Amino acid sequence: MTTSRPTVFHLGRVGDIPGGMTQVMNGYLAWPFPRVDVAVLTSRGDPHDLRATLVKGAGALARVLRLPRRSSVVVAHMSERGSFVREGALMRVAHARRSATVAHLHGSSFAAFAAAHPRLTGWALRGADRVISLSAESSEVAARFVPAERVVLIPNAIPSSAPAAKEDLVVFGGVVSHRKGIDVLQEAWSRIDAPGWELVVAGPVQDAALVRPDVPGLTMAGSLAHEELMALLDRSRIAVLPSRDEAMPMFILEAMARANCVISTDVGGIAAVLGDEHGIVVPPADVEAFHAALQLVLSDPERRSRLAGSALQAFEERYSADAVFPRVEDLWLAALADRRRPARRASTKD
């Protein structure tokens, strides 16, 4: 008797859409996993289009109800707010039908969301056979709702890259907002003494009132396709992300993969990734500290090169798709193996 090859169904959306969660799913769909097939169940549309979201959610529900139970794993990608209702409900349905389920946590505000909405968070997570988190903080919070042995910290990963010739370029990639620290970055850059260097800010503008058009050497590139942002990182020497709140941003790993010297802040899982050797981490919302770090690497090419090389090596060893995706595949298959054991009884007290 042969067993069909398992399929891992991801709830969410894919394509050239801004956001780390989408890029994670894009990466899974593109990767040749040796033991499972990967598919997407589009469970939401544009967040500003309620009708499209309802239609896609209904379609995803119909698909979940038809999945073969013994060969399916349903992965709910969740950050906060609506995703815990939408993807969380779909995961609960799959769990009730005895499909294997995994909650993949994203987003910078999971801990705060869980504290504000403990019943919804617990209700969703108790529908998961396994939980993937991106930081120690998220793991600790998730373990308040499900047994700690079900929670596994696995960093995001992306395919490796072959960097192009480098230029005197600093790149910020992300939503132009207070949360991402655009005010800190602009003020720090306005004090920089580095003739010939350019700062490119790439991303959709959320907090237009914070944008300063008069800062010399700063280009606001607006929203870019993901490939265009990666091309910028291929050329740049330095990547910056002065966020006030994060989980584990893909931009950091993408910059490391492209041999950038990375400067960021001590929020979420960033410090655990960069440490003292693979980048520079400063306190959030600290203009003086961010300016000092940026001026240091702009003025010291040897240190800048050493940090960039260390970041690239760390990426390849710990955070590349080659290093991370086998761990993710093992976790998916472990959830499926648990569901295939007839004697197992899940405890889902609500």
Side-chain angles (χ1 to χ4, degrees):
M1 178 177 178
T2 60
T3 302
S4 61
R5 180 179 166 95
T7 301
V8 181
F9 295 92
H10 294 269
L11 299 171
R13 59 177 181 164
V14 294
D16 193 6
I17 303 166
M21 188 154 54
T22 301
Q23 298 310 321
V24 169
M25 293 178 63
N26 286 342
Y28 287 154
L29 289 176
W31 190 256
F33 287 97
R35 292 172 289 165
V36 303
D37 295 321
V38 180
V40 61
L41 299 181
T42 304
S43 55
R44 62 190 182 97
D46 187 309
H48 304 294
D49 188 341
L50 178 59
R51 182 179 181 280
T53 293
L54 292 174
V55 169
K56 292 184 183 299
L61 175 59
R63 291 283 306 280
V64 166
L65 292 172
R66 296 196 301 269
L67 294 179
R69 302 175 191 179
R70 292 187 61 79
S71 61
S72 298
V73 182
V74 174
V75 181
H77 293 265
M78 303 186 295
S79 55
E80 58 243 8
R81 298 188 296 273
S83 62
F84 270 79
V85 177
R86 186 179 53 246
E87 281 74 35
L90 292 168
M91 181 175 64
R92 291 281 307 216
V93 170
H95 189 265
R97 295 192 72 252
R98 303 294 298 163
S99 291
T101 52
V102 176
H104 196 137
L105 300 177
H106 303 260
S108 60
S109 303
F110 169 64
F113 176 81
H117 305 281
R119 293 185 64 183
L120 174 58
T121 303
W123 173 82
L125 293 185
R126 285 192 293 272
D129 297 302
R130 293 289 191 282
V131 177
I132 295 177
S133 76
L134 300 181
S135 69
E137 179 188 44
S138 292
S139 293
E140 181 182 345
V141 173
R144 298 172 191 167
F145 301 97
V146 298
E149 61 268 20
R150 292 192 204 170
V151 183
V152 182
L153 196 166
I154 303 179
N156 285 330
I158 58 173
S160 301
S161 174
K166 293 295 187 180
E167 303 173 17
D168 290 347
L169 187 64
V170 181
V171 173
F172 165 97
V175 177
V176 179
S177 64
H178 181 264
R179 180 175 75 82
K180 291 284 188 177
I182 190 61
D183 54 324
V184 173
L185 177 59
Q186 291 175 122
E187 180 58 30
W189 184 257
S190 72
R191 305 178 189 180
I192 289 294
D193 179 18
W197 282 82
E198 180 186 6
L199 168 63
V200 176
V201 172
V205 177
Q206 183 179 86
D207 297 335
L210 295 178
V211 174
R212 292 170 52 179
D214 60 336
V215 179
L218 188 156
T219 298
M220 301 294 296
S223 291
L224 298 180
H226 187 255
E227 291 181 0
E228 293 178 286
L229 177 58
M230 295 304 99
L232 270 178
L233 287 175
D234 282 335
R235 294 161 41 211
S236 61
R237 300 186 192 277
I238 301 171
V240 292
L241 193 68
S243 296
R244 289 178 167 87
D245 195 11
E246 292 285 358
M248 185 52 240
M250 292 290 286
F251 178 74
I252 296 289
L253 299 175
E254 290 163 341
M256 294 171 68
R258 287 159 176 81
N260 277 253
C261 173
V262 181
I263 303 173
S264 192
T265 46
D266 188 6
V267 293
I270 293 174
V273 170
L274 293 179
D276 297 325
E277 299 178 355
H278 315 312
I280 299 179
V281 178
V282 301
D286 189 332
V287 172
E288 295 293 339
F290 203 87
H291 168 260
L294 186 51
Q295 186 67 64
L296 173 64
V297 296
L298 286 167
S299 306
D300 188 344
E302 183 178 342
R303 180 165 186 175
R304 183 176 68 237
S305 178
R306 184 170 66 250
L307 287 170
S310 179
L312 178 59
Q313 181 178 352
F315 170 82
E316 293 290 358
E317 293 176 354
R318 305 174 196 172
Y319 307 110
S320 67
D322 285 323
V324 173
F325 282 178
R327 296 177 57 196
V328 178
E329 187 178 40
D330 285 345
L331 182 141
W332 293 338
L333 290 172
L336 185 61
D338 280 355
R339 278 296 182 175
R340 284 175 171 172
R341 293 190 187 105
R344 184 178 183 271
R345 289 291 182 268
S347 175
T348 56
K349 291 183 180 180
D350 293 312

